[in-house]
Amino acid sequence: QVHLVESGGGLVQPGGSLRLSCAASGFTLNAYAIGWFRQAPGKEREGVSCMGTSDGTTYYADSVKGRFTISRDNAKNTVYLQMNSLKPEDTAVYYCARGGGCLNGVVLGRNAWGQGTQVTVSS
């Protein structure tokens, strides 16, 4: 069975860093697009980052480009989101998602996602 479990969220000061982890089970990571989206209270869901299926090409939303990095460890079947230079507007619940492809930072055709992990950026 397919599971995606996010971890690594927490409370961080502006300018700080966090690394989120998404542990995947029940499927092969490189057979799907994999990425992250976030949702803050009262705001619409936003695609953050996506990694393609073929060559691992990475994509990012303009709001996080240059600050966030998505990566994958096939041996651990885990995808990461390294978040640097965090801003208060990055505060949200972050979800890992599996899908069919990427459009910028958006995972298209999402067919699985996890429970989310809270990221709060505040001084």
Side-chain angles (χ1 to χ4, degrees), residues 18-88:
L18 282 175
R19 173 174 280 197
L20 306 184
S21 298
C22 174
S25 61
F27 68 98
T28 302
L29 271 180
N30 63 12
Y32 298 88
I34 190 80
W36 297 84
F37 66 93
R38 65 188 181 186
Q39 189 160 34
K43 300 184 69 175
E44 65 186 68
R45 184 170 56 244
E46 178 187 19
V48 174
S49 184
C50 187
M51 178 177 289
T53 59
S54 57
D55 60 358
T57 302
T58 57
Y59 305 87
Y60 301 91
D62 288 342
S63 59
V64 307
K65 192 171 296 182
R67 299 187 298 120
F68 291 10
T69 304
I70 188 170
S71 61
R72 182 178 63 203
D73 186 334
N74 288 328
K76 297 181 178 180
N77 212 40
T78 299
V79 63
Y80 303 95
L81 185 68
Q82 178 66 47
M83 307 186 298
N84 299 325
S85 301
L86 283 163
K87 304 175 180 180

